[in-house]
Amino acid sequence: MAQIKKIALVTGGSRGLGKNMALSIAQKGIDVMLTYNSKKDEALAVVAQIEQTGQKAAALQLDAGNVKSFKSFFDQVTIVLKDTFNTDHFDFLINNAGVGVGGSFAETTEEDFDMLFNIHFKGVYFLTQKALPLINDGGRIINLSSGLARFSTPGYAAYASMKGGVEVLTRYMAKELGARGIAANVVAPGAIETDFGGGAVRDNEHINKYIADATALGRVGLPDDIGGVVAFLCTEDAKWINAQRIEVSGGMYI
Ligand SMILES: NC(=O)c1ccc[n+]([C@@H]2O[C@H](COP(=O)([O-])OP(=O)(O)OC[C@H]3O[C@@H](n4cnc5c(N)ncnc54)[C@H](OP(=O)(O)O)[C@@H]3O)[C@@H](O)[C@H]2O)c1
């Protein structure tokens, strides 16, 4: 019997964790739509890499913090689904796009707060809401949180609060979308070497060592530590996992 093709939409798939997720998902035999904000060339390079594995892929522009643009974004998604994937629905939504902007609670500006809120919470809320008609029954939603929503590291009050909100929202998604067979889970990475937050975890030797020392497995995370977990959540083996927060941090601050 021919297997029914599944399709994932990964936001922020041009770099870092989202890129690794997109490639890992493709390795599971799933086709991938990925989004970028400004780095189109990087996104197209990921598409080419996925196509080399034999899966279909496409890249779309998305500003995850601009809810007003979501209608035209999903108009584009509908066209791409038809033209590239020969279908009108997809199966897995991975809300990964994000920026790392820190600042102490005392000094957080309203501008930074609003920007983080729009990208990391309001955007996730309404992008998922507007995706619902396009997601197949039995599909899955995976939202990215952070270890910072469990432990408190000075400088991340606003960012981590949005991630905490996403964790609550995910349980509500799971509860309300269960009737359609749609599962919703959170993946919460520890500190990972990407461009995130100016690449500090990767490029700042002091920060890198500090995090490695605070991690039971003795090093900081790499994108490859995360993508496979998200890809697993898109497989049949993960079908009964729902409403869970899965921290993937190598045991940070335990
Ligand atoms: N790295 C970590 O230590 C860490 C830890 C815990 C959680 N996380 C979470 O993991 C997710 C990915 O982080 P990362 O480390 O992979 O970051 P990254 O390497 O900086 O990549 C960010 C990705 O998000 C996209 N993006 C940024 N702003 C956007 C916007 N306004 N609208 C749409 N897309 C946007 C970027 O697109 P362009 O390439 O076009 O700019 C890029 O694809 C984020 O949700 C982050 O909060 C990261």
Side-chain angles (χ1 to χ4, degrees):
M1 199 174 66
Q3 235 190 328
I4 299 166
K5 265 281 168 216
K6 304 271 183 172
I7 303 169
L9 172 58
V10 181
T11 69
S14 46
R15 287 183 288 135
L17 303 185
K19 174 182 176 180
N20 193 270
M21 289 169 201
L23 294 170
S24 302
I25 288 168
Q27 277 170 15
K28 299 281 186 198
I30 297 165
D31 291 337
V32 183
M33 292 182 285
L34 57 98
T35 76
Y36 59 93
N37 184 28
S38 60
K39 299 201 181 314
K40 185 176 181 180
D41 289 349
E42 275 88 337
L44 292 176
V46 180
V47 167
Q49 239 181 302
I50 291 172
E51 286 172 343
Q52 276 169 15
T53 70
Q55 295 306 131
K56 289 183 184 167
L60 295 106
Q61 199 279 333
L62 168 71
D63 179 352
N66 182 2
V67 172
K68 291 206 174 9
S69 71
F70 290 177
K71 188 188 171 307
S72 68
F73 171 70
F74 281 113
D75 288 346
Q76 284 302 309
V77 169
T78 302
I79 292 168
V80 167
L81 281 172
K82 188 164 179 296
D83 291 353
T84 307
F85 302 93
N86 199 24
T87 184
D88 47 14
H89 285 75
F90 65 97
D91 301 282
F92 311 118
L93 172 62
I94 294 101
N95 283 305
N96 162 75
V99 287
V101 173
S104 72
F105 170 70
E107 287 168 0
T108 303
T109 63
E110 190 178 348
E111 286 71 27
D112 279 352
F113 181 96
D114 287 346
M115 185 265 291
L116 289 166
F117 174 73
N118 285 332
I119 295 173
H120 285 284
F121 188 73
K122 188 177 175 185
V124 172
Y125 197 109
F126 287 103
L127 194 83
T128 308
Q129 183 195 70
K130 294 198 179 341
L132 289 179
L134 295 181
I135 297 177
N136 278 317
D137 289 357
R140 315 231 174 108
I141 294 161
I142 300 161
N143 295 323
L144 267 288
S145 179
S146 168
L148 291 165
R150 173 175 64 82
F151 47 75
S152 306
T153 300
Y156 289 98
Y159 168 81
S161 298
M162 307 312 165
K163 292 300 198 186
V166 161
E167 294 189 4
V168 174
L169 172 61
T170 305
R171 290 195 291 275
Y172 275 83
M173 287 176 177
K175 191 78 172 176
E176 295 196 16
L177 302 178
R180 288 184 51 194
I182 295 174
N185 291 291
V186 165
V187 169
I192 316 289
E193 288 189 2
T194 67
D195 295 337
F196 189 77
V201 173
R202 180 191 57 214
D203 302 335
N204 183 314
E205 217 176 298
H206 172 74
I207 292 176
N208 189 292
K209 183 175 180 322
Y210 177 81
I211 291 166
D213 289 346
T215 302
L217 291 179
R219 62 168 174 84
V220 303
L222 300 170
D224 203 39
D225 294 321
I226 306 299
V229 177
V230 172
F232 163 69
L233 289 173
C234 297
T235 65
E236 264 305 287
D237 284 345
K239 63 181 178 296
W240 205 234
I241 301 176
N242 195 17
Q244 298 305 300
R245 174 189 192 272
I246 301 165
E247 186 167 313
V248 191
S249 70
M252 216 177 144
Y253 291 128
I254 50 172

